[in-house]
Amino acid sequence: MSTAIAHYQSEFERLGTLLPWQDSPQWQEWRQSGWAHFASLGFPTTRHEEWKYTSLAALEKLALSCAPAAPEAPQPTWDALKARAVLPQARHRAVFVDGRYSPQLSQLDGLPAGIAVRPLSALSARDSLGLQVPLQAVRARTPFAALNAAFMAEGAWITAAAEASLDDPLLILYVTTRGGQAQHVVNAYHLAAGSRVAVAEQYLGLTDEAYFVNQVAGVQLEAGAQLSHVKLQQEGGRAYHIGALQASQQGGSRFESHSFALSGAFGRNDMEAALLEPGASVVMNGLYRVGGREFQDFHTCIRHQSPDCSSDEYFKGVLDGSGRAVFNGKIVVAQDAQHTASRQSNHNLLLSDQAEVDTKPQLEIFADDVKCSHGATVGQLDEDQWFYLRSRGLDPDHARTLLIEAFALDLLSSIGHAGLRAAMDHLMRGHAHV
Amino acid sequence: MLIIKDLHASVGDKPILKGINLTVNAGEVHAIMGPNGSGKSTLSNVLAGRENVTVTSGSIEYLGQDLLALEVEERARAGVFLAFQYPVEIPGVGNVYLLKAALNAQRKHRGLPELDAMEFLALVKDKMKLMEMNESMLYRAVNEGFSGGEKKRNEILQMAVLEPKLAILDETDSGLDIDALKIVANGVNSLRHPERSMILVTHYQRLLDYIKPDYVHVLAAGRIVRSGGPELAHELEKQGYAWIGNEGSGQEVSSGS
């Protein structure tokens, strides 16, 4: 057993009784099988195809504590967090500090009828079992999702009854204030038929020390349900962020996912949407931005398993310094998924000679009556555009920032939910400093 | 205003300009004509500060300063304006944003207060009427999806807003139908001013029917081979450029001002 596995094993044994729902055999089995799965896989190495460009060696060396913060640990004030929050005016928010739910920073009163947002720590063992439905598919997706299954203690469970709607977007904010910890958090979304939810998940690092956020999201969309989802990574300079997301979509449902990996030493996201019944559609878009020695990796997969579904995938990258990024976009169209419409593109802007991106579309199409397109580009700032702006008197730096912003912000127009789009626009403008 | 002396310039290893001499005084409009490949666009690019052109010898004095020592943006702020032959499309950057940023960069340079949004909009809308442009073009991305005529009008709109001291119009007539040409020419004419000089770079005489130059120069193989008044343009129109093959090599004529 590697030192890293041994470390997490001792954490698992140490925390055993501190993790929630100990008296539930279902959860015991869940954690045990998660642990066994992780222990058997171990930390992936670059010999593993899915991790070919992604080295975890530095993360393996860190002996991080998997215990959530003590309830009495000091917390920032909402006034301090508000300045950084993507939805500072959100009517409803769930705030977690160092892996623990903060009732005083959160505001979950007065949710619309049929909408529930519950922190995991508030759930009894019996109430919590429903959580296993949206999380079922994701827990074996990656070694880290399995590790999360073993340790998960906190997160948000969002449910919507049939036809219920939460249009005023919910903010789920995870703040990290100190180093040395590994947080295993989950977000579970279960939207019943015809319901609608808009949400922004924001991960905010307020420390320059090393820490690890190991995050999992499960999305279950019943017929006609619609989830507008923004995930925003603004992790600290030495932070590791690993996320896994799995969406299961029934007929006519729509999942709009926009990921923004804006900072952090290391980021990896494995995202999958399965279109299980006719008429389901997914938008899976994202932006990664790296500078210095930062690294971001998006491995996405869209499974067309039923006819008449559509998927749109659009990822952009801005890379400066010695930053590196990986984009792997897999589209699988099953044999009977006729009339599939699928578009994928990945465009990268390299701002320095040392920056590097590995981009790989991966289409596996078994049906014959489909429209699938894909394309990837890697380019530099357009000299003609830069010259044009300068010839009108703009500073070279200003002109450069404008062009980077224009490249990156182009993605925002695809956010269907007006409130989320406006919030991201406000947050991003003037931040394309790289 | 502008004194060009014995200017030699290369693109890559290839010498394009081989000894240009030209003096442009305040308020004058000079037309520079010549066949393809004569160096017209290279001359525009040298004046604007394009980096792919290397000046190998000679000098350019603009309002008493060494123009070649100024960066692209410094030239713009000092009042040099290039209307591009092919205006660049910049998706994601609003036309109105660029106009305002450009104007305020100049005002700042001159020690004037920046205009606020209201003042700026009033100014720009006034200028748009002159160019017969729809206000909706303000809120589109710079030149994105503009027709050829709209792009050229947008260039002259920028010129009208920035009020340069020296404007270089590079093939402004190319790709314009007669109606668009009239609008553009009308805009340019309204900007003629005793303190403003213009250089019209053009292949065809057509533009000069609408914008009357004070001087016409013929550029061939990197040199000005003839200079004269507006009548020279008509002569070119009749005879074409074929004749310059004979006198292009030896003779060198300095500017007419």
Side-chain angles (χ1 to χ4, degrees), chain B residues 122-192:
Chain B
L123 179 145
V124 77
K125 283 179 181 173
D126 196 46
K127 309 277 185 190
M128 288 189 92
K129 278 192 206 122
L130 172 73
M131 295 311 299
E132 301 184 28
M133 285 169 78
N134 192 309
E135 264 180 46
S136 66
M137 289 178 78
L138 278 181
Y139 303 101
R140 286 164 62 183
V142 177
N143 294 321
E144 192 189 22
F146 286 23
S147 69
E150 285 173 333
K151 283 181 183 168
K152 296 295 173 79
R153 274 193 263 174
N154 203 31
E155 292 292 287
I156 307 303
L157 172 68
Q158 292 177 1
M159 177 175 158
V161 168
L162 296 175
E163 300 186 322
K165 296 191 181 83
L166 173 66
I168 303 124
L169 281 65
D170 190 4
E171 305 276 2
T172 291
D173 52 331
S174 70
L176 292 186
D177 62 29
I178 195 70
D179 293 331
L181 178 62
K182 281 180 184 167
I183 294 168
V184 166
N186 188 32
V188 172
N189 284 327
S190 72
L191 291 168
R192 290 182 81 148

Side-chain angles (χ1 to χ4, degrees), chain A residues 382-396 398 402-403 406, chain B residues 50-51 73 76-77 81-82 84 88-91 97-98 102 105 143 155 158:
Chain A
D382 186 310
E383 289 287 334
D384 289 338
Q385 295 179 341
W386 195 48
F387 178 79
Y388 189 84
L389 293 175
R390 291 172 65 207
S391 80
R392 297 306 181 240
L394 272 60
D395 266 338
H398 183 193
L402 263 186
L403 292 175
Chain B
R50 192 113 200 174
E51 275 128 9
E73 60 279 3
R77 289 176 211 153
F81 180 88
L82 171 67
F84 283 61
V88 181
E89 299 195 11
I90 314 184
Y97 181 93
L98 172 59
N143 294 321
E155 292 292 287
Q158 292 177 1

Side-chain angles (χ1 to χ4, degrees), chain A residues 359-397:
Chain A
T359 173
K360 183 178 162 198
Q362 200 181 338
L363 274 63
E364 297 172 9
I365 301 172
F366 301 99
D368 49 17
D369 185 11
V370 300
K371 276 187 193 150
C372 295
S373 67
H374 69 93
T377 61
V378 179
Q380 293 165 332
L381 272 191
D382 186 310
E383 289 287 334
D384 289 338
Q385 295 179 341
W386 195 48
F387 178 79
Y388 189 84
L389 293 175
R390 291 172 65 207
S391 80
R392 297 306 181 240
L394 272 60
D395 266 338
D397 283 349

